[in-house]
Amino acid sequence: MLRHARVLTFLTWLLGLGLALTACSGGDTTPIGRPAPVSGAPVPTAVSTVPSTAAIPPAPPLTNNPLTGGPLVSTPVIAVKVDNSQAGLPQYAVADADVVYVEQVEGGLTRLMAVFHTTLPMDVGSVRSVRSTDAELLPVFGVPALVFSGGAGGPLAALATTPTVAVSEDAGGAGFSRISSSPAPFNLHSNLKDVAAAHPDLTSPRDIGFQFAASDPRVDAGPPATSLAVSWQAANTGFTFTDGHYRLERDGIAQSDASGAPIVADNVLVQNVTLDPDGTVDSVGSPSFISHTVGTGSFTLLRDGHAITGTWNRSAANLPTQYLDAGGQPVPFKPGKTWVALVPPTATVSVS
């Protein structure tokens, strides 16, 4: 009997030890963000390469507007997908955006993601559909909204893994209207004040990686850059430096938005990116793409009529991008508005 009691006591101790070890062991962890692409390695589709970024690391206090370098304002960040084809002209309120991204989409065309914070216009358009590139771009802003018309399953699923508030016309989102002066699908517009009112959980922007300086000797030492032309497979974007700003051009014609305001930028950033099919095709079978902004690559920054080159790197979708010169120092953006051209290897760039 004593022997049986000792065996029972030993087995009970083993069972308790196993339970204790189980309770103390950590669960599975999944890294946030997408690692830098490895040359020659296969890249998964967009839905799997944009993991959840719900856990946002704390950010240091801001001393100026992280999008413009100007004074801090308390308004939220609202990005809008805007048509960038000839059929979608004129564009409404694009001149008011703090940052504008030019993304390649299917068929070699481009689409804009215009980011508003300093000003929330009451009429932005024309509003178009979401793309996978947006899901990788937006988490660094904090909790922004993305205003769009709708989208395919892959890009919608990728966006759903991020903190971004999806404001879709297809899903009955607030702030949409249609104008009579343009045909569908180029007649959908958005009132960003209505969007902000409907989503009080939106945040002001966090640091996205821009560091600002009114002047810098590296700028003066850079080569002249008064003209830029970027050609995608079926789209062109150009800028000419005049009156201290870079004026947007199409086919050599200076552009204004529907209000008559010239569309200008204080910085034009050519960011070289990798481009991968995201698994979505359009109605005629053309594949959609994701432009990867997590990873590393080269860039050229145009400001004040000069160019600065360097290397960008971003280790995760909820972390800022570093823009470093050849000496490893952050490059200085000029306070003001910025256009970012996400340029794949298939596009051509001319700076003069």
Side-chain angles (χ1 to χ4, degrees):
M1 291 294 291
L2 180 60
R3 180 184 177 188
H4 287 303
R6 286 174 177 172
V7 170
L8 181 60
T9 300
F10 179 69
L11 291 175
T12 302
W13 176 81
L14 283 178
L15 179 60
L17 177 62
L19 290 173
L21 289 174
T22 301
C24 293
S25 63
D28 245 357
T29 58
T30 303
I32 295 174
R34 178 180 182 274
V38 179
S39 177
V43 179
T45 61
V47 173
S48 62
T49 58
V50 186
S52 174
T53 53
I56 301 175
L62 296 171
T63 57
N64 56 17
N65 189 321
L67 305 188
T68 67
L72 288 171
V73 294
S74 60
T75 50
V77 177
I78 302 179
V80 185
K81 293 299 298 184
V82 177
D83 190 87
N84 199 39
S85 69
Q86 193 68 33
L89 298 180
Q91 294 164 330
Y92 285 68
V94 170
D96 292 327
D98 292 316
V99 184
V100 178
Y101 294 90
V102 188
E103 311 168 359
Q104 180 172 323
V105 293
E106 60 279 358
L109 296 170
T110 59
R111 186 158 292 173
L112 305 183
M113 188 178 79
V115 182
F116 299 88
H117 166 55
T118 306
T119 301
L120 297 182
M122 298 174 66
D123 188 12
V124 182
S126 59
V127 178
R128 300 301 305 274
S129 53
V130 66
R131 291 295 182 272
S132 298
T133 299
D134 309 324
E136 203 167 275
L137 273 172
L138 285 166
V140 70
F141 288 90
V143 182
L146 179 63
V147 175
F148 58 99
S149 60
L156 287 172
L159 189 68
T161 69
T162 77
T164 304
V165 175
V167 182
S168 169
E169 193 259 354
D170 279 2
F176 290 100
S177 63
R178 292 190 179 270
I179 62 172
S180 60
S181 57
S182 298
F186 308 105
N187 60 349
L188 183 64
H189 286 223
S190 177
N191 183 330
L192 301 194
K193 292 189 183 298
D194 287 349
V195 173
H199 299 281
D201 51 337
L202 301 177
T203 66
S204 296
R206 304 192 315 149
D207 173 24
I208 67 170
F210 295 171
Q211 296 197 23
F212 296 95
S215 62
D216 191 285
R218 288 172 291 175
V219 175
D220 298 332
T226 58
S227 179
L228 170 71
V230 183
S231 296
W232 287 265
Q233 293 168 303
N236 299 290
T237 296
F239 288 88
T240 295
F241 186 67
T242 180
D243 297 329
H245 304 281
Y246 287 91
R247 180 79 179 266
L248 177 68
E249 292 185 346
R250 288 188 178 88
D251 300 320
I253 301 173
Q255 296 296 298
S256 300
D257 68 13
S259 71
I263 302 176
V264 299
D266 299 285
N267 307 283
V268 179
L269 180 69
V270 177
Q271 184 168 339
N272 297 303
V273 298
T274 58
L275 188 74
D276 292 303
D278 67 0
T280 299
V281 296
D282 67 10
S283 59
V284 297
S286 298
S288 178
F289 295 91
I290 177 172
S291 294
H292 291 296
T293 56
V294 172
T296 188
S298 60
F299 72 85
T300 300
L301 174 66
L302 281 66
R303 57 160 291 182
D304 294 322
H306 292 268
I308 305 173
T309 60
T311 302
W312 66 268
N313 65 82
R314 184 175 176 221
S315 59
N318 60 353
L319 295 178
T321 305
Q322 291 185 308
Y323 298 100
L324 305 178
D325 64 15
Q329 298 301 309
V331 300
F333 285 67
K334 184 177 182 177
K337 299 180 183 297
T338 300
W339 276 59
V340 183
L342 301 177
V343 178
T346 52
T348 60
V349 178
S350 175
V351 179
S352 59

